[in-house]
Amino acid sequence: MATSGVLDPGRLHRGVCWLSSLGFDVVVGRHALDRAGHGLAFLAGDDADRAGDLQDAWCDPGTSAVLIARGGTGASRLLDLLDWDAMTAAGPRLLVGSSDVTALHLAVGRRLGVCSLFGPVAAGELLAGGDEPESRTASHLLQAMSRPERELVLTAGEPVTLGPVRAVEAPLVGGTLSLLGAAIGTADEPSAEGAILVLEDVGEAPYRLDRALTHMRRAGVLDGVLGIACGDWSECGRPADVQAVLADRLGTLGVPLLLGLPFGHGPVQLSLPLGASAVLDPAAGALVVPPAG
C-alpha cells in the first residue's frame, strides 16, 4: 500500500519481486503509483483513494499482512476516512512499516487492539534500493512477520545506558518521535504508561528533538513509562549533541534508557512488534521480544 509519499516504480517492483520470491502472494494497491494527491506533489494520490486501498486490503479475508511501501507524509490524513468498525470486524492483520506509518501504528493499536510491526517499508532503500535487500534487515523482518518459536533480539553495537541499569519487561509502544508528537491531542494520542517506549527519528536537529521531547513530557505522554529504547537518529546532527538532548530530556525520568539499537532510519533496520511484551536489558545492551504465544 502507498499510504504516504509517492513511490518509485522500480523500487516497488523490486520489493514485490523479493516478497514473491519468498512464496508470498503479493497484491499491490490499485492506487499505489498515483501521484500528487490534492495537487500536492508529496502525496501518493488522493486521501480517499489511499484510504480505500488500505481499507480494501485490511478487510479482504485473504489478507494476512498489510505492508506499507514507503513513509514520507500523509498517513495521518487517512485516519478519519477509514471504517474502523469494518476493520475490527475483519479480524486482526499485521501492519508493517515505519516512519510516517507511526500514525497508523498508533491508530490500529488503540482502535483495533492489535500488535503491529515497526519495521522497514517494502519499497524502501534497504529492501528494494538495489539488487538484493540488506541481509540483516530482511531476515529480521521475515522472522518478525512469522513470529517463530525463536525470540527476537535487537542488540546495540555501541550501547549507551542512562538511568538505572536494570531489566524491565513491558509492552512496546512508540515509533518515530516527530509522528508521535504530531498525534498528541488527537484521538490516537500516544501513551507510554506501563510500557517500554521506543523512539527514533531522521533529519531532526537536536533543538527540534528537544522541543518534541519537552512537548511529550508536558503533555503527560511519558508519565508512567517503565523504560525507553532508542534507535537511530540519522541526520539529526552530531551524535554527542543528540545524546546530550536525550540525557537531559529522558535520562532524568529515573527509568532504564538504552541508546544505539539498530531500528529506525539507519543502515540496518530491525523490526519491533509494537504492542508485544519485551524485555529491555540495558546491562546486556539488548531489547528482547520473547516468542509469540
Side-chain angles (χ1 to χ4, degrees):
M1 301 295 110
T3 58
S4 304
V6 175
L7 300 188
D8 177 279
R11 287 189 179 182
L12 177 61
H13 176 72
R14 286 191 291 273
V16 169
C17 287
W18 174 64
L19 290 165
S20 298
S21 72
L22 298 169
F24 293 107
D25 181 12
V26 183
V27 178
V28 177
R30 289 188 303 145
H31 298 280
L33 292 176
D34 286 3
R35 310 177 77 86
H38 307 279
L40 302 174
F42 50 80
L43 291 178
D46 289 349
D47 295 347
D49 291 332
R50 301 195 325 278
D53 278 0
L54 178 58
Q55 179 94 37
D56 291 345
W58 196 277
C59 293
D60 186 333
T63 298
S64 296
V66 176
L67 280 69
I68 308 304
R70 67 155 292 186
T73 188
S76 60
R77 296 170 59 115
L78 310 185
L79 299 181
D80 296 330
L81 302 177
L82 296 167
D83 184 341
W84 292 101
D85 289 337
M87 293 172 70
T88 300
R93 305 283 188 265
L94 182 63
L95 175 72
V96 183
S98 57
S99 195
D100 191 54
V101 188
T102 298
L104 298 176
H105 287 304
L106 288 172
V108 301
R110 180 179 289 270
R111 302 181 191 223
L112 304 182
V114 300
C115 294
S116 57
L117 203 58
F118 189 86
V121 289
E125 173 66 27
L126 293 192
L127 294 184
D131 293 336
E132 296 291 337
E134 199 284 317
S135 58
R136 287 182 62 195
T137 300
S139 62
H140 200 264
L141 171 63
L142 294 175
Q143 182 186 350
M145 286 177 65
S146 60
R147 294 303 307 277
E149 288 70 27
R150 293 182 298 146
E151 62 188 9
L152 285 174
V153 180
L154 287 80
T155 305
E158 297 181 5
V160 175
T161 60
L162 301 169
V165 184
R166 65 171 185 269
V168 293
E169 182 171 6
L172 297 176
V173 301
T176 301
L177 174 60
S178 54
L179 273 298
L180 296 172
I184 293 174
T186 73
D188 303 302
E189 181 171 276
S191 171
E193 183 175 5
I196 295 170
L197 179 65
V198 296
L199 292 174
E200 61 84 36
D201 218 320
V202 61
E204 298 286 343
Y207 78 90
R208 293 178 61 87
L209 298 178
D210 175 81
R211 178 188 298 161
L213 292 170
T214 299
H215 185 198
M216 292 181 73
R217 288 187 63 146
R218 297 188 65 223
V221 173
L222 302 180
D223 292 353
V225 66
L226 298 183
I228 302 173
C230 289
D232 292 292
W233 302 95
S234 302
E235 302 174 30
C236 289
R238 294 195 316 134
D241 294 337
V242 173
Q243 185 175 323
V245 171
L246 298 176
D248 182 78
R249 296 287 77 195
L250 300 176
T252 57
L253 294 174
V255 301
L257 172 59
L258 176 62
L259 312 183
L261 291 167
F263 69 88
H265 288 80
V268 176
Q269 298 175 10
L270 303 190
S271 300
L272 293 169
L274 300 177
S277 183
V279 177
L280 176 63
D281 188 349
L287 182 65
V288 179
V289 183

